[in-house]
Amino acid sequence: MMSGLGFLVAARQCEIDELEQLAGTIALAQALGELVHQLQRERGLSNLFVGSGGAGFGPQCLAARQDTDRAIAAAREHFDPLPGATGYPGSRARLFSRIAYALHGLDALAGLRQRLDQLALDVDAVTAAYCKLIASLLSVVFDATDNAADPEVSRLLLAYFNFVQGKEYAGQERAAGAAAYASGRCDARRQQQLLTLIDAQEECLQTFGGFADARGLASWQAAQDGLRLAELERLRRIVCTAPADGRLDPALSMTWFEHCTARIDAMKQVENALGEQLRERCEQSVAAARRDLHAHQAVLQKLVSQADAPSPPGEAAAPLAAFFEREEQAASDGAGRAGAPAYGPRMEREILAMLREQARRLQATSDELATVRAALNERKVIERAKGLLMAHRQLSEEAAYRMLRQTAMEQNRRLVDVAESVLALSSYLGGQAPAGP
Amino acid sequence: MMSGLGFLVAARQCEIDELEQLAGTIALAQALGELVHQLQRERGLSNLFVGSGGAGFGPQCLAARQDTDRAIAAAREHFDPLPGATGYPGSRARLFSRIAYALHGLDALAGLRQRLDQLALDVDAVTAAYCKLIASLLSVVFDATDNAADPEVSRLLLAYFNFVQGKEYAGQERAAGAAAYASGRCDARRQQQLLTLIDAQEECLQTFGGFADARGLASWQAAQDGLRLAELERLRRIVCTAPADGRLDPALSMTWFEHCTARIDAMKQVENALGEQLRERCEQSVAAARRDLHAHQAVLQKLVSQADAPSPPGEAAAPLAAFFEREEQAASDGAGRAGAPAYGPRMEREILAMLREQARRLQATSDELATVRAALNERKVIERAKGLLMAHRQLSEEAAYRMLRQTAMEQNRRLVDVAESVLALSSYLGGQAPAGP
């Protein structure tokens, strides 16, 4: 029969288990970050290859594919043990369903490359395909973030996810701008797309800023080069303000690509630092929880052995157990009461203090997690509203995002509030919910 | 190496596992509901015993204790396997910590009874002690409710929890009213306590009404006896409006007790029906999920064997995989395209359709759960605000609740909004967070 003390120890052990699972989640997120980065490179080079009509960038493409394939193999090594492992916090079904979708996309990559080699796709189709694959991987990272049980790690994971997502928008901006410069012109639709991607990037980086710690913010600060940024802004201005019938200098295509790439590579360095920091933070939490458990185990061992000992026969009636006392009372005479048997009540008080301390800590954890999750939920609401608009209005993701943003600006409301209104009125839109994870 | 299909199956299996764990949670909640009921009876009879100065109700008390002890043994049988079991959704640490606290209280019960037999406690102290023990058990039920992964079961569990909690307030009302009638007078403090308990009951029953299904509402409807209710209301009016120096008829003490008991027993019948209904609902979900898995396994088996077969050599270049198509496109020509190889793309489309269907279902589940959880969070916010006021203002639970309610009425705001303001201003109150789970 499990005693209350047994459950006290079991609860502590569970905390350690949950933190260790979190370490696995972080390793998975890092591996997926790496894979996303390789796919971003492959996407960029594939665009240049297709844009050049197959005349250039062939060898670079092949090399990038090999790097991607290595990253895929590494990611799969993180996926494989998951179904056998126990105790993933949150819905394993949802995580597995997202992984299934992402793996399905990775399986389709060979076919995409084949079509690409045959020059059977245009630059926009290539970009869209890689974006979809990357999005499916990022949704796995997001799901892992969503389920972290440690508030501080959860905050850092949220910062990490937003940084990686922001970097992906930077990658999409690179592709869109490169396509514009290479074609020598930029129409209004493309300009709108670029502005949306710049906005989305900034929003991600803002969320990152809100959840990163001082060290994370410092790495991002250090990675930004003022001159390089100024040049990027200049190139952005040129492409975004070009008149519909005006000409862009195609020679700027490579300059644009290189600038964006330097930025993305710098972001990758920051991403690596954030991942490393996350890993360290989680290790520290595990170590602290272990120390804590060991420190308490001695006390618990003593308490258990005392609890097992039979009460001396003929002992005076037990005083009312500390459990039943009002808390002020328990606190004020915690050292034992006059006339009470020597160790009985004291022992109970120790146990009770430990129970209360544990409950307090777990409650604080839940409360902090609720704060972090609120931020995660905002993203989910926006994603769902976007998906709804995409499905019902046949809009692209960008167009749906733009529509929400526009409404938010016009009505001077937060993006998430507009998204909530859209969801609340979803039945007015008719049809069904959006597909895809 | 796990394939996407492997994860698709694993996700379905996880859904079934989660539902089966939920069945265990429901059985635990039922056992705890039973134990709470026995403790409520024991509390009522103990009050009468102490109130009579030990002259009456001794044998009934002893019989009630035996029933309680049987219910404790049954509850422990549900606790024991938990630490060994895997995959409890949500924080096992928090659940175990709550169980540890509750078990600690159950261990202290023997001491409480001993003191009671010695008439060393007054009626209020007896009531308070049993209330605390019951609250610790209800917090375990609440935690289990908080973690249910199936939205419909989660709604029913929330209805169940609120009903059981409402019944507990009815039990506390019985105790408070009995004390008043037995003493022959009812001061303003006691009247306030009674009104608060009546309010709290009604609030629980309202929440119950918002989450129960038609069948649950019907059992509650059927259990209410108009005449009995009218008599209870008459007795409530008498005790709550008695002038401070007025006399209450002590003969009404037994009438009050019996009326309240009849009401509580009727509520227990409803609770049992709700529990049974929950169990059935969960079994149905498990059966449906199993049927679903079997139906898909045939398809999956076929798909897996096809996926494993090597592509015929010299096959024409694959078309762009369905994964990379826009969704409208995929939906509009889901039956395969002209010129595409016979089964390759169709198979992929089938897989993709299954993946999307699963993702859609899991997403819908998450969204529904979010709605139910919002209601759970409201309770948590109110509980925390109450705890904060209790700790900082040295208030009883009732007084803290009354303070929140009063403010809500004066400011015409919802209780939860007032509670949120209290938490937001917690630093203004100084001191530390409330103790106890």
Side-chain angles (χ1 to χ4, degrees):
Chain A
M1 200 174 67
M2 282 282 289
S3 66
L5 288 177
F7 273 99
L8 180 68
V9 175
R12 274 190 187 279
Q13 189 56 57
C14 281
E15 286 184 80
I16 295 176
D17 292 348
E18 282 166 12
L19 283 168
E20 281 176 346
Q21 284 148 21
L22 197 47
T25 301
I26 290 168
L28 173 65
Q30 284 180 299
L32 292 177
E34 190 59 37
L35 173 52
V36 164
H37 186 66
Q38 296 306 339
L39 282 167
Q40 286 166 339
R41 273 191 62 222
E42 188 178 323
R43 173 177 59 194
L45 291 164
S46 300
N47 274 338
L48 292 176
F49 172 76
V50 170
S52 73
F57 303 97
Q60 289 96 321
C61 264
L62 288 183
R65 287 178 185 180
Q66 284 175 355
D67 289 342
T68 303
D69 290 341
R70 266 191 292 275
I72 291 175
R76 277 182 179 277
E77 269 174 36
H78 282 93
F79 288 152
D80 284 351
L82 286 175
T86 57
Y88 176 82
S91 166
R92 285 157 62 85
R94 203 182 52 194
L95 177 72
F96 290 175
S97 153
R98 290 184 177 198
I99 292 176
Y101 188 70
L103 281 176
H104 189 68
L106 290 174
D107 287 344
L109 182 57
L112 174 66
R113 287 171 176 171
Q114 209 175 336
R115 297 264 293 170
L116 219 148
D117 289 340
Q118 298 164 335
L119 298 175
L121 298 168
D122 65 15
V123 170
D124 278 345
V126 170
T127 305
Y130 279 100
C131 287
K132 197 158 186 181
L133 187 52
I134 290 170
S136 75
L137 293 164
L138 288 179
S139 92
V140 176
V141 179
F142 181 74
D143 195 77
T145 305
D146 199 12
N147 286 311
D150 179 277
E152 200 177 333
V153 174
S154 202
R155 291 179 71 86
L156 292 180
L157 258 173
L158 187 60
Y160 179 84
F161 172 79
N162 273 281
F163 195 83
V164 174
Q165 177 73 65
K167 172 165 164 283
E168 165 57 6
Y169 287 131
Q172 292 182 21
E173 186 200 358
R174 172 175 65 183
Y181 275 116
S183 70
R185 54 188 300 281
C186 192
D187 59 17
R189 190 193 64 80
R190 177 78 77 192
Q191 286 174 341
Q192 198 54 66
Q193 182 193 17
L194 280 162
L195 291 174
T196 307
L197 288 169
I198 294 169
D199 275 355
Q201 250 173 91
E202 275 167 11
E203 208 158 281
C204 281
L205 290 171
Q206 246 174 38
T207 311
F208 157 77
F211 288 93
D213 61 2
R215 208 171 126 200
L217 290 173
S219 350
W220 176 221
Q221 209 74 43
Q224 282 172 297
D225 176 332
L227 278 180
R228 206 167 57 199
L229 204 59
E231 176 62 9
L232 177 66
E233 287 293 2
R234 191 180 72 84
L235 292 168
R236 278 175 169 174
R237 174 175 52 75
I238 293 173
V239 72
C240 289
T241 58
D245 52 355
R247 293 278 308 158
L248 286 169
D249 180 4
L252 284 179
S253 168
M254 257 340 269
T255 317
W256 166 267
F257 194 85
E258 278 160 10
H259 261 88
C260 288
T261 302
R263 175 176 155 87
I264 293 168
D265 286 346
M267 288 180 93
K268 180 68 177 111
Q269 295 309 312
V270 177
E271 179 193 315
N272 289 348
L274 294 174
E276 212 37 40
Q277 199 183 324
L278 254 171
R279 209 183 48 71
E280 279 172 27
R281 186 66 199 71
C282 195
E283 264 175 20
Q284 284 163 12
S285 291
V286 173
R290 274 193 202 289
R291 271 198 306 276
D292 217 34
L293 179 62
H294 287 309
H296 277 80
Q297 244 155 1
V299 183
L300 287 170
Q301 214 51 53
K302 196 187 76 192
L303 295 177
V304 170
S305 60
Q306 288 180 354
D308 287 345
S311 310
E315 196 188 14
L320 189 57
F323 178 87
F324 289 120
E325 283 173 10
R326 289 173 148 274
E327 265 147 38
E328 316 83 90
Q329 221 177 312
S332 68
D333 62 356
R337 284 176 303 181
Y343 73 73
R346 245 195 61 204
M347 177 178 106
E348 207 214 329
R349 267 169 225 281
E350 271 187 75
I351 298 172
L352 210 58
M354 281 170 64
L355 281 169
R356 289 206 173 115
E357 159 54 23
Q358 190 176 53
R360 203 195 308 271
R361 204 184 52 246
L362 290 171
Q363 187 56 52
T365 301
S366 298
D367 296 349
E368 271 183 74
L369 270 179
T371 314
V372 181
R373 296 245 159 101
L376 288 165
N377 283 336
E378 290 195 357
R379 177 184 183 267
K380 281 187 232 172
V381 167
I382 294 169
E383 288 297 308
R384 279 169 55 208
K386 231 165 57 180
L388 211 67
L389 291 175
M390 285 162 72
H392 292 297
R393 300 277 176 103
Q394 315 293 328
L395 293 176
S396 71
E397 190 174 348
E398 283 150 36
Y401 179 78
R402 209 154 56 225
M403 196 168 158
L404 290 173
R405 228 187 133 82
Q406 191 67 32
T407 313
M409 281 198 301
E410 280 166 16
Q411 304 183 351
N412 197 20
R413 290 161 73 203
R414 290 173 64 224
L415 192 58
V416 64
D417 296 332
V418 174
E420 261 170 5
S421 309
V422 168
L423 293 178
L425 297 177
S426 64
S427 54
Y428 290 52
L429 298 168
Q432 55 177 9
Chain B
M1 200 174 68
M2 284 280 287
S3 67
L5 287 176
F7 273 99
L8 180 68
V9 175
R12 276 192 185 278
Q13 189 56 57
C14 282
E15 285 183 79
I16 295 176
D17 292 349
E18 282 165 14
L19 283 168
E20 282 176 346
Q21 285 148 20
L22 196 48
T25 302
I26 290 167
L28 172 67
Q30 284 179 300
L32 292 177
E34 191 58 38
L35 173 52
V36 164
H37 186 67
Q38 296 306 338
L39 282 167
Q40 286 166 340
R41 273 191 62 221
E42 188 178 325
R43 174 178 59 194
L45 290 163
S46 301
N47 274 339
L48 293 176
F49 172 77
V50 171
S52 74
F57 303 96
Q60 290 95 318
C61 264
L62 287 183
R65 287 177 186 180
Q66 283 174 356
D67 289 341
T68 302
D69 290 341
R70 266 190 293 274
I72 291 175
R76 277 181 179 279
E77 269 174 36
H78 282 94
F79 288 153
D80 283 351
L82 286 175
T86 56
Y88 177 82
S91 168
R92 283 157 65 85
R94 202 182 53 194
L95 177 73
F96 291 175
S97 155
R98 291 185 176 195
I99 291 176
Y101 189 72
L103 282 175
H104 188 68
L106 290 174
D107 287 345
L109 182 59
L112 173 67
R113 288 171 175 169
Q114 209 176 337
R115 297 262 296 169
L116 219 148
D117 289 340
Q118 299 163 335
L119 298 175
L121 298 169
D122 65 14
V123 171
D124 279 344
V126 170
T127 305
Y130 279 100
C131 287
K132 198 160 185 180
L133 187 51
I134 289 170
S136 76
L137 292 165
L138 288 179
S139 92
V140 177
V141 178
F142 180 74
D143 195 78
T145 305
D146 199 12
N147 286 312
D150 178 277
E152 200 177 334
V153 174
S154 199
R155 291 179 72 86
L156 292 179
L157 258 173
L158 186 61
Y160 179 85
F161 171 79
N162 273 282
F163 195 84
V164 174
Q165 177 74 63
K167 172 167 165 279
E168 165 58 8
Y169 288 131
Q172 293 182 21
E173 185 198 359
R174 172 175 66 183
Y181 275 116
S183 71
R185 54 187 301 279
C186 191
D187 59 16
R189 191 193 61 79
R190 178 77 78 192
Q191 287 174 340
Q192 197 54 66
Q193 183 192 19
L194 279 162
L195 291 174
T196 306
L197 288 169
I198 294 169
D199 275 355
Q201 252 172 90
E202 275 167 12
E203 207 158 281
C204 281
L205 290 171
Q206 246 175 38
T207 310
F208 158 75
F211 288 93
D213 61 3
R215 209 171 126 199
L217 290 172
S219 354
W220 177 221
Q221 209 73 42
Q224 282 173 296
D225 175 332
L227 279 180
R228 204 166 59 199
L229 204 59
E231 177 62 9
L232 176 66
E233 288 293 1
R234 191 181 71 85
L235 293 166
R236 278 175 170 175
R237 175 175 50 76
I238 294 173
V239 71
C240 289
T241 59
D245 52 356
R247 292 280 306 158
L248 286 171
D249 179 4
L252 283 179
S253 168
M254 255 344 267
T255 318
W256 166 267
F257 194 85
E258 279 161 9
H259 261 88
C260 287
T261 302
R263 174 178 156 85
I264 292 168
D265 287 345
M267 288 180 94
K268 179 71 176 110
Q269 295 310 311
V270 178
E271 178 192 314
N272 290 348
L274 294 174
E276 212 39 41
Q277 199 183 324
L278 254 172
R279 209 183 47 70
E280 279 171 27
R281 185 65 199 74
C282 195
E283 264 174 21
Q284 283 163 11
S285 291
V286 172
R290 272 193 203 291
R291 270 198 307 278
D292 217 35
L293 180 62
H294 287 311
H296 277 79
Q297 245 155 0
V299 183
L300 287 170
Q301 215 51 53
K302 197 186 75 189
L303 295 177
V304 171
S305 61
Q306 288 180 354
D308 287 346
S311 309
E315 199 188 13
L320 190 57
F323 178 88
F324 289 120
E325 282 173 13
R326 290 173 148 274
E327 266 148 38
E328 315 86 89
Q329 221 178 314
S332 68
D333 61 355
R337 282 176 303 179
Y343 73 75
R346 246 193 65 202
M347 179 179 106
E348 207 214 326
R349 267 168 225 281
E350 273 188 73
I351 300 173
L352 209 58
M354 284 170 63
L355 281 167
R356 289 206 173 115
E357 159 54 24
Q358 190 177 52
R360 201 195 310 270
R361 204 184 52 248
L362 291 170
Q363 187 55 51
T365 302
S366 298
D367 297 348
E368 271 183 75
L369 272 178
T371 314
V372 181
R373 297 243 160 101
L376 290 165
N377 283 336
E378 289 195 357
R379 177 182 182 269
K380 282 187 230 172
V381 166
I382 294 168
E383 288 298 308
R384 279 169 55 206
K386 230 164 60 180
L388 211 68
L389 291 175
M390 286 162 70
H392 293 296
R393 300 277 177 103
Q394 314 294 328
L395 294 176
S396 72
E397 191 174 349
E398 282 150 36
Y401 179 78
R402 211 155 55 227
M403 196 167 158
L404 289 173
R405 229 187 131 82
Q406 192 66 32
T407 313
M409 283 200 299
E410 282 167 13
Q411 304 183 352
N412 196 21
R413 288 162 73 202
R414 292 173 63 222
L415 191 59
V416 63
D417 295 333
V418 175
E420 261 171 5
S421 308
V422 169
L423 294 178
L425 297 176
S426 64
S427 56
Y428 290 52
L429 297 167
Q432 54 177 9

